[in-house]
Each structure stands twice: as C-alpha cells, then as structure tokens.
Amino acid sequence: MSEVELQLCLALPTPNITKGFKFNLNNYHGFDHLKQMSCSGDKTSRVIKKRDFEHAFGNFSDDCNALPLLLWSGQPNEEDDNHNDRKKTTFVTDDMNDVEVDQVVGWPPIKSWRNRTCHHHHHHHHKRALGNGRSIYVKVKMEGVPIARKIDMRHYHSYQQLTNSLITMFTKNEKCDGDYNARYTLTYQDKEGDWLVAGDIPWHGFIRTVQRLKILSNWG
Amino acid sequence: MESSELKRSKDSVNSCESARRSSFPDEVLERVLSLLKSHRDRSSVSLVCKDWYNAERWSRTHVFIGNCYSVSPEIVARRFPRIRSVTLKGKPRFSDFNLVPENWGADIHAWLVVFAAKYPFLEELRLKRMAISDESLEFLAVSFPNFKALSLLSCDGFSTNGLAAIATHCKNLTELDIQENGIDDIGGSWLSCFPESFTTLEVLNFANLTSDINFDMLEKLVGRCKSMRVLKLNRSVSLEQLQRLLVNAPQLAELGTGLFSQELTIREYEELESALSNCKNMHTLSGLWDATGMYLPALYLACTHLTFLNLSYAALQSVELAKLLAHCPQLKRLWVLDSVEDKGLEAVGLNCPLLEELRVFPADPFDNEIVHGVTEAGFVAVSFGCPRLHYVLYFCRQMTNAAVATIVQNCPDFTHFRLCIMNPGQPDYLTNEPMDEAFGAVVKTCTKLQRLSVSGLLTDLTFEYIGRYAKNLETLSVAFAGRSDWGMQCVLGGCPKLRKLEIRDCPFGNAALLSGLEKYESMRSLWMSACNVTMNGCRLLAREMPRLNVEARGGMPHHLSLLSEMLGTRQTENY
C-alpha cells in the first residue's frame, strides 16, 4: 500500500502555524476517527446516533453507491472557477483528529457572543434559501483532507449524480495501483446536527435537511 | 471643610515655597480643577507642581485605570480620596478571541474590598474584561448605599444571580448595563427583583442575555421609571411586547428591540409603527434580531433623527438596507452585517452623507467556502459618499492597495482604521502584491490616526511606514504579518504615542522584543502570542525592566503579555 503524502506549504513566514501536513492512508481508520470524534466533548464532536457504523459500512441502500475513490495524489485540490478561491490559504494544526482543521484559534477576531449570533444567521439563511430557490451551498469534506469543497445542492437531483460528482471532485490520481477501489461512505449532517449515512431518506427530503457532507474512509 | 484643613496642615511644612508661588487659595484651585473631566488633562495638571498635584487629587471624582495590574487599589485610594466613579479594564483585548487562558486574573474583588473601606459613597463602577463573581456582585450591592451605575462589558465569572443581588439591594440604581459578557444565564427572574417602589432606572441594557424574562414585571418596571432613556431588550421580547413597552416610554433616546420578526395583524403592525414613531427623542436603535424586509418599514418614521443604527444582528439584504437608509439622513454611526454586500454599502454612500463611523461584520466568519460578503468596492463606495468617515471596522475577503489609497484620499480624517482581510496573509487580489502600500497610504494620509489594525500579506515595509508616519498612533493590532524582527523594531522605534501593541502569529523574536525597552515605559501593554519570542527572551526582558510585569506562558503558542508600570504584583501560578 503506497504511502500518500499531502503537503501544504503556506506562503507565510510564521513557522508556528504553517506546518506541512502529512496524511498516510495506511494509518487512517475511519471508524476509530469517529469514535474519537464522539468522545471529544465540545463543539467538535459529532455523535452518530441514528445508524450504527458497522452496519453502514457493509450495507448500502439502493440509490447510494459507495464511492470508489482513488488514492489521493498529494496535489492540492483545484477549487471551482472563482477568483476569490485563488488566494485562499488554509491553516492546519498537526492534530489529525481535528474535525475543523481549517480554522485558526481566535481568527477572524470576532467576539464569541457575536459568533453565537452569526451561527444563528447562517441557519436562518439556509431556511430562506430553500424558499427563494437560491443556491444551497453545502461544505463537503473528505476525511483526512484539509481542503474542503463547497457544492450547490441545487445542481443535483439524485444520490447517484451527487456521488459521481464527488468522485470527480476528489480524485486526482492517474497512477492508480491495486488499491484504487478503496471504499468510502458518504455521510451528512442533518438539521438537528446529527451525522447520518447518506442514502437512507428520499432525495427530496435529503436536500431539505442536509447541512454538510463528509466522505469517510472505510479503512480498518 | 475639615478635610482640607487637615490636608493643609499636613502639607504646610512642605509647601511653604509653593504657597508663596501659588496665587490661588487651595479651595479655588480645587474648584477650578473639579471642572476638568478628561483624565489625561488631569494627569498633566498633576505634574505641574505639588500644589496642583494635591488640588487635582482632592478634586478628582472619577478614576480611569486602563490596566488593573498597573497599580494597586490601596495606592489609588491613598492618592484619590474622593472618588465616586471608577472605570477599570483588565484582561488583554485578545481574551475576547479566546487567546487568553481561563482564570488569567483581573478579578475585581480585591478592589471592591478596598473601595468598601475607602469609598463608601461610590456611585459608579464600569468594568471591561474583568472577572467578577456573584459573590462580588452581592458584596457590591450591599456595601455601597449610594450605588447608582453598573456597567459590565466583556466581563465573565458571574451569573444572573449576581444581577438579582444588584436589583434587590441597589435602591438608587440608575444604570444597569450588561453587555457582551460571559454571563451564566440561569434565567430571567433577576429582573423581577427590582422592588415595586423602585423608579430611578434610566439605563437598562440586557440585550445579550438569552433567557426569557418576565414581561409583566418588565412592563411595570419600564412604566414606573419615567426617566428611562436607554432600554435595550433581549431576543425574548416580541414585537407585540415591544409595542406595549413603547407606549409607556416614548421618552426613550436609545432603543434596542427584541426579536424583530413575528406574525402581526395589520392593526398590530400599525400600532407598532405608531409607537415607534412617537419616540421623538430616539437617536440610537439596535437589536432588530432577524429583521427582514417585511417589518422594517415600521421603523421608517422613527428613523428621522437617528444618529446610530446597529443592524449587526439582522442579516439584511442590500435592497432592504437601501430602503431603510433612505429614511436615515442624520445617520452618523452604522453597524451592519456583510450580508448587505457591496450594493448595500453603495446605498450607504448615497444616503448617509453625515456618516462618521461604519462597522461591517461578517455574517459567516468561519466559512471560507461561502463567497458572499463585501469587497473593496463597497468600502470605496462609502468613502466617496461619506467624507466625514473617521472610524471604520471592515471585515472582507478581498482588498487591493489601490482601493485603500482611494479610500483614504476621500476620507483623510481617519482616527480608527481597522481592516480585517479574513484570510490570513492574503495579498492584493488583483496585483498579487503585499498590502504594504495600502497601510502606507493610511498612515501617510491620515495624520490623526489613533488606532490601526492591519491584515493581509504584509512585509516589514508596512511597519517601516507605520513607525515613520503614524505620529498619533496609540493602538496597533498585528496578525500574520511581517518578515523579520526589523518590522517590530520599526514600530517600537517610531510611533511616539504608542500605548497598546498586540501581535499574534508574526515572525518577531527576542531581538525585536528587547528593542523596545525604552518604549515600554510609556506603554500600557504589549501582547505577543505565537511569535518567535522565547522564554529566555522574556526572562531577559523582565531582568532589564524590573518595573514591568512580564508574563510568559510556555507551550505552543507562547503568550507574552507585558503590563507596564507595575507597582503591584500579579498573582499567577505558572510563570
């Protein structure tokens, strides 16, 4: 199993923050990662309640395909054509279990009481977006990959279409060796904050409730 | 008066000479000096001669302590015997952003104990970034029979039980202002603790509390406090309830609404509109949680004389804001969320020619993927329409050097320029160059600049500019910037009026830190975290400057906070 390295070098002369990030698929156990997440207490923990993961790993409902993603090549992900993204830098801590790896403590400098208000606004916006037919942007992360993507759920009409698109988005490697059909599971966070396996509910209900997506590795 | 006679006999031995020089009797000098309000003027006065020092200290009724560790309460009480009002600031500003560890200090209790003994007639206490417990609040409530005004901003350590103690015991309370605090909100029953006979409240601000309060009690309280001029409600108060409050308090000058979203009948809407427009004295409006285009028109008639509009809890769209601003010709201060986008800011430029202050907060600060918000275009548009602009706080995701140059050309009178390009180290997005020239333009053009926050990709050149040109700069905030020690050295070697310097995640090390020894004597505080300073550098600094309180925490990242003019010592377990 070849080692995969993803190194992020940031154009800042601040050695404390900008550390190269190494990601080794060999050591990555998706399930353990989730267990660790649910134990970590505060807002970074995601507790999977509604569906047991061992059940989820082996079992897919009909309209949800496991994503046969290729090994990550180590090249930074190209964002969508958006000139704002061109200059984006992402900060990484060297804690691989950190769910929100693209955030720096205390930055941007917003007072914590205002954060609470902002969070509320974000959800409020979501609700309004559904009503006016505006875009519903959802963040997609692949486990172990620091750079997230965003997609507009309005562009998809089925789980199949969504997973096909995600495969395209997250694969870069032309050189695939025997392990390229490693299995991944698509999970999502619903309106109540729970993380569930995608594919259980009809598509129409899914897009009304989905807040974010996460692609988990089945290694282990 | 007995006290001045005592004083004169004490001083007579020492002040024979000065008595000959001084042409005023002490009482006259004291009377004249009592008219001085500015604490800086008073500090200057106190340095003139011994007579003036004494007259000043006896006539001072308000003391402002910008750093609670710079002096002990005993020393304050000894120097100023007649204080009625105290303002105290504690933790470094970066504690607002979770960069300061829990239980750092800045506890008010020791101060209260001294005040209870020395200033039994204390009337006002204003705290910023201090730790205050419920026990301390209770102690405060029972120790000062004349207590009138309590203002807590960004404080923590207390719960609504502490507020209940204040409401219960402070019979002469005129002001209760609880803002943005880390308060343990157990419930809203504290408001019901004001006695039925209590009528003196003029200022009530509980906007940042989350619990429901007993509306009946609030309505009665507002009804009987006829002098109330500032009322800032929390979210739990509905539009319908707001209307009921306003009909009994049309004299309000500052109003913070509760939730501005509710199903209203036409009649209810009209009643609300009427109640709002009857507030003829209203100059400040805030709250407006979840306000949408639907009910904002109810405000239109009330906005005619508005000078300060705080929309930072309402994610308005550009069109909604434009329509509202058309009714706010007198606006001087505006706070908005970046949901209004550049188009909304264009409307600001078109409708608010008297604008002096603009703050644009990000609606989604932690989500880089959602590309909304404001850009350099919005800021430029405001600068063209609002030449009196002198205070800006602007969160954005892109900026250019050229835009900033245009902005300061249009508005050369900036006193506070706080620009936050939210992506750390981001260059000019058009030219890909550092943002050095932008801030160079700011400091060269805005000669009155007192406060500056920089962001974006910055080399040492920015700091060369700042050191050389920012003659009036007092507060500088730096994050993710600079290339070497030289940058920080430039600032410490220039900026003659620098008082507060806060730096995070910059490549400034021991050489830079130690280059400021002379400068630290005249500064209030220095904060450095996640820089290249080492523990040894801090030790060396502490050794070179024994009067400085140098505090450093190891581990990653380093926190070094340097509190100047230390005359007392700080209790700290880990050093």
Side-chain angles (χ1 to χ4, degrees), chain B residues 23 57 243 261 302 326 377 423 513 526 574:
Chain B
S23 39
R57 62 185 270 264
Q243 186 267 339
S261 171
N423 219 345
L513 178 68
L526 166 71
N574 21 309

Side-chain angles (χ1 to χ4, degrees), chain B residues 303 306-307 309 311 321-336 344-358 381-389 411:
Chain B
C303 288
L306 217 56
T307 56
L309 180 57
L311 292 167
L321 178 66
K323 285 192 195 150
L324 178 57
L325 289 180
H327 299 267
C328 307
Q330 308 289 329
L331 215 57
K332 290 194 179 149
R333 300 172 66 195
L334 177 64
W335 296 17
V336 290
L345 294 182
E346 281 169 33
V348 174
L350 288 172
N351 288 294
C352 307
L354 301 180
L355 199 71
E356 296 176 17
E357 174 179 329
L358 175 68
V382 174
S383 75
F384 275 112
C386 310
R388 297 192 196 186
L389 200 63
C411 304

Side-chain angles (χ1 to χ4, degrees), chain B residues 360-468:
Chain B
V360 182
F361 296 95
D364 285 310
F366 303 112
D367 221 326
N368 285 328
E369 281 80 16
I370 304 232
V371 182
H372 292 312
V374 294
T375 72
E376 77 281 8
F379 198 167
V380 169
V382 174
S383 75
F384 275 112
C386 310
R388 297 192 196 186
L389 200 63
H390 69 84
Y391 191 122
V392 148
L393 171 61
Y394 199 82
F395 284 86
C396 59
R397 291 185 171 89
Q398 67 187 51
M399 189 51 63
T400 68
N401 288 303
V404 176
T406 304
I407 287 160
V408 294
Q409 205 176 356
N410 293 338
C411 304
D413 296 328
F414 273 112
T415 55
H416 298 68
F417 193 91
R418 303 166 64 188
L419 177 62
C420 183
I421 302 166
M422 285 192 275
N423 219 345
Q426 182 171 301
D428 178 322
Y429 81 97
L430 286 182
T431 66
N432 222 16
E433 283 169 1
M435 296 296 295
D436 296 333
E437 295 307 319
F439 294 104
V442 172
V443 292
K444 285 176 197 166
T445 314
C446 306
T447 53
K448 301 181 201 163
L449 195 70
Q450 292 169 28
R451 182 172 179 181
L452 179 65
S453 298
V454 298
S455 58
L457 180 65
L458 300 175
T459 70
D460 289 340
L461 183 57
T462 296
F463 302 103
E464 281 184 37
Y465 287 144
I466 293 173
R468 200 184 318 157

Side-chain angles (χ1 to χ4, degrees), chain A residues 1-2 69-71 176-183 219:
Chain A
M1 165 77 203
S2 64
L69 293 181
L70 304 180
L71 291 180
C176 34
D177 41 30
D179 291 315
Y180 72 86
N181 54 357
R183 298 242 154 228
W219 294 105

Side-chain angles (χ1 to χ4, degrees), chain B residues 475-495:
Chain B
T475 305
L476 179 63
S477 290
V478 186
F480 306 104
R483 289 270 159 84
S484 72
D485 286 336
W486 173 240
M488 186 172 164
Q489 284 165 335
C490 285
V491 171
L492 291 172
C495 299

